[in-house]
Amino acid sequence: MPQNNALWLPRRGARFEVGPAPYTPPGPGEIVVRTRAVAINPVDAIPGFAYRIVLPWLTFPAVIGGDVAGEVVEVGADVTGLEPGDRVTGMATGLEADRDRAAEGAFQEYVVLLAHMVSTIPDDLSFEQAAVLPLTLSTAATGLFQADHLGLPLPTPDPPDRGETVLVWGGSTSVGGNAVQLARGAGYRVVATASPHNFDHVRSLGAAEVVDYHGRDAADRVVAAIGGSPLAGTLAIGSGSVPKTLAVASRVPGRRRIAAAQPAFATRAQLLLRRRHGVHVSAIWGGTLKDNEVGPAIYRDYLPTALATKTFRAAPEAVVVGDGLDRIPVALDRIRRGVSAQKLVVRI
Ligand SMILES: NC(=O)c1ccc[n+]([C@@H]2O[C@H](COP(=O)([O-])OP(=O)(O)OC[C@H]3O[C@@H](n4cnc5c(N)ncnc54)[C@H](OP(=O)(O)O)[C@@H]3O)[C@@H](O)[C@H]2O)c1
């Protein structure tokens, strides 16, 4: 069996430590991937005390991390469509309440992944760039396609023009970039927000209109950009996005539904607002995608072809912080200072 090593979090608030970890063979529905690159998400960098609020179920020592790209080394008995040697990207679900399993955390050399949350990637897509996708792709897909959120039709290679608009507030975030592309792939016109220096980036992902979200008149300018096209739904990403999108959704024609990527406790406080505006607001948890038909529809059925035909891009740009598990804490420090249309990545 291969020798495995992991970046361990011994307990809440402790320092990360690189050390040996068991090699865990895949169970039913699982595969093992030799990690070649991991990407860093804001949730990976939360301070120790926040674990009690965001991930209260997590047992320690833990291996965190949600984004993996690498090569399949072993597949579980009932897994079809994936085999050893395949180049893949996938969402590591070790932090989910019903998994809570160190073997499934991304930050290790050999990681167990759920096969239906893994996509093969084309040869011309590097592991570093492919690693930017999974958690934020899952979060965007949860908001857009799950029935408990916007419940839009799934993306296809040649979607019909649905004559409606999806608003992505926070289009230059990683979640937002995936949302813009997925909504286009589902046949919608997209209006998004970003800082002006990211307008071209967000347009290149398929947004028809991009609006600066700064300033007191931001909601007015978004309403103007939506124009007469009915809203099919809204994704609210970034702090302060729920009140802003409420102000938009209550003033334009179409569906008054907002799916918010903000932490549930922050969103819940704002749900009260919805009564005033007659808008339905729901709080996204990207990990729920593993439990319904949308997960395999995106990872198995849509993404491999969409990446190969370049109708979907692994965005934003990967910025490689270094090589080896011991560089991940450096990347965590860096994400705490903020990124703009970039994804921090570590080669493993
Ligand atoms: N619920 C879930 O399951 C889940 C999962 C993943 C992420 N999230 C949350 O979703 C958000 C985005 O995550 P991410 O990884 O995609 O972020 P990210 O890529 O690290 O976000 C960076 C971008 O945020 C934009 N931004 C900063 N403040 C903003 C604001 N007030 N409104 C709109 N955009 C703003 C900046 O855009 P400009 O540079 O263009 O200004 C910057 O490009 C975070 O709050 C994260 O915690 C939730």
Side-chain angles (χ1 to χ4, degrees):
M1 269 194 198
Q3 171 63 48
N4 189 19
N5 290 290
L7 183 73
W8 289 101
L9 184 57
R11 60 192 173 281
R12 269 181 215 99
R15 294 170 91 85
F16 287 96
E17 293 170 8
V18 177
Y23 174 89
T24 307
E30 298 173 351
I31 63 171
V32 173
V33 168
R34 170 62 174 96
T35 307
R36 297 294 177 193
V38 298
I40 310 297
N41 287 285
V43 71
D44 301 329
I46 57 173
F49 72 86
Y51 275 83
R52 285 190 199 283
I53 304 163
V54 184
L55 301 165
W57 52 81
L58 194 64
T59 52
F60 294 88
V63 178
I64 67 165
D67 287 341
V68 181
E71 292 131 358
V72 178
V73 291
E74 217 185 325
V75 303
D78 59 348
V79 171
T80 55
L82 290 168
E83 50 190 53
D86 283 350
R87 301 174 76 251
V88 296
T89 187
M91 178 173 164
T93 52
L95 295 186
E96 295 305 308
D98 60 345
R99 308 297 295 180
D100 188 17
R101 194 175 169 221
E104 295 181 49
F107 297 164
Q108 59 192 314
E109 291 168 358
Y110 291 89
V111 57
V112 176
L113 299 179
L114 298 176
H116 67 275
M117 297 297 283
V118 169
S119 295
T120 53
I121 58 171
D123 289 344
D124 62 355
L125 180 60
S126 67
F127 290 130
E128 293 84 346
Q129 194 59 47
V132 309
L133 283 170
L135 179 64
T136 55
L137 172 73
S138 293
T139 306
T142 297
L144 291 170
F145 305 122
Q146 276 187 203
D148 51 340
H149 296 291
L150 301 186
L152 302 177
L154 289 162
T156 60
D158 191 15
D161 179 352
R162 299 191 186 277
E164 292 183 327
T165 296
V166 169
L167 169 60
V168 179
W169 191 287
S172 55
T173 65
S174 291
V175 175
N178 284 297
V180 170
Q181 296 190 81
L182 288 172
R184 288 290 300 138
Y188 294 95
R189 169 180 179 256
V190 176
V191 171
T193 69
S195 288
H197 69 275
N198 284 324
F199 279 11
D200 287 347
H201 165 66
V202 179
R203 280 199 197 102
S204 78
L205 298 173
E209 304 279 346
V210 191
V211 177
D212 186 355
Y213 63 89
H214 300 95
R216 294 173 64 168
D217 62 342
D220 296 341
R221 287 182 280 110
V222 170
V223 168
I226 291 169
S229 168
L231 259 194
T234 298
L235 278 195
I237 310 160
S239 66
S241 59
V242 172
K244 293 281 175 52
T245 51
L246 277 166
V248 174
S250 57
R251 284 171 54 196
V252 297
R255 284 174 83 217
R256 298 186 160 193
R257 277 194 90 106
I258 298 171
Q262 296 330 102
F265 57 88
T267 302
R268 230 175 267 131
Q270 312 205 31
L271 296 187
L272 296 172
L273 280 170
R274 80 185 186 200
R275 292 201 188 98
R276 255 195 0 235
H277 296 268
V279 181
H280 181 276
V281 185
S282 55
I284 300 168
W285 181 257
T288 57
L289 200 74
K290 70 177 174 46
D291 300 322
N292 57 68
E293 71 292 348
V294 182
I298 297 296
Y299 279 93
R300 193 189 56 206
D301 303 339
Y302 176 70
L303 191 63
T305 308
L307 287 173
T309 57
K310 315 255 185 277
T311 48
F312 195 98
R313 244 168 67 204
E317 174 203 3
V319 176
V320 178
V321 175
D323 291 76
L325 294 168
D326 59 350
R327 300 307 288 170
I328 293 174
V330 177
L332 294 174
D333 283 342
R334 209 159 134 184
I335 201 172
R336 287 185 192 108
R337 297 199 295 273
V339 294
S340 178
Q342 290 183 330
K343 193 89 184 164
L344 304 180
V345 168
V346 176
R347 283 193 207 101
I348 305 297

